[in-house]
Amino acid sequence: MPSKRKFLTAGTLVQKDSVWNNKKIVFVSGKGGVGKSLIAAGIAREQALLGKRVLLAETGENSYYKDFWNLDQVTHEPRQVPGESFDLALWSGET
């Protein structure tokens, strides 16, 4: 017998003319050492090249991308990554 449960999808949550229609939040997760940061950077770069406004946010107090892009520091204040068209910031989980 088929299930009678209804599952919500993005299409049912967002109205056709909604301001959120083209907004996305992408979380990259997995075990340590599997390339999450590299994949997240690739997604950020691809979306920025497609003309999207992108903020690549890292959780915690330490930045993988500091060394990746040879930056002096990465802070909680979003800043454009040199040579890229997206911003980078740390996020502590606090509002």
Side-chain angles (χ1 to χ4, degrees):
M1 177 172 251
S3 172
K4 292 186 179 186
R5 288 186 189 176
K6 286 192 172 188
F7 294 94
L8 295 177
T9 64
T12 60
L13 293 174
V14 178
Q15 297 297 320
K16 187 173 185 177
D17 295 326
S18 170
V19 69
W20 293 102
N21 227 10
N22 293 314
K23 308 284 184 193
K24 290 183 186 177
I25 298 176
V26 177
F27 293 92
V28 179
S29 65
K31 292 184 176 185
V34 297
K36 296 178 298 293
S37 296
L38 187 61
I39 295 298
I43 292 169
R45 185 167 202 242
E46 176 189 48
Q47 292 300 302
L49 290 173
L50 290 172
K52 305 289 185 183
R53 287 183 55 202
V54 176
L55 172 62
L56 179 58
E58 291 184 276
T59 57
E61 297 298 320
N62 299 313
S63 175
Y64 164 83
Y65 299 116
K66 180 180 179 285
D67 295 327
F68 187 79
W69 276 297
N70 197 27
L71 303 171
D72 291 334
Q73 65 179 351
V74 176
T75 67
H76 292 89
E77 193 68 33
R79 294 195 177 156
Q80 186 171 355
V81 176
E84 301 291 347
S85 53
F86 58 88
D87 293 342
L88 172 65
L90 292 175
W91 183 59
S92 65
E94 298 177 17
T95 56

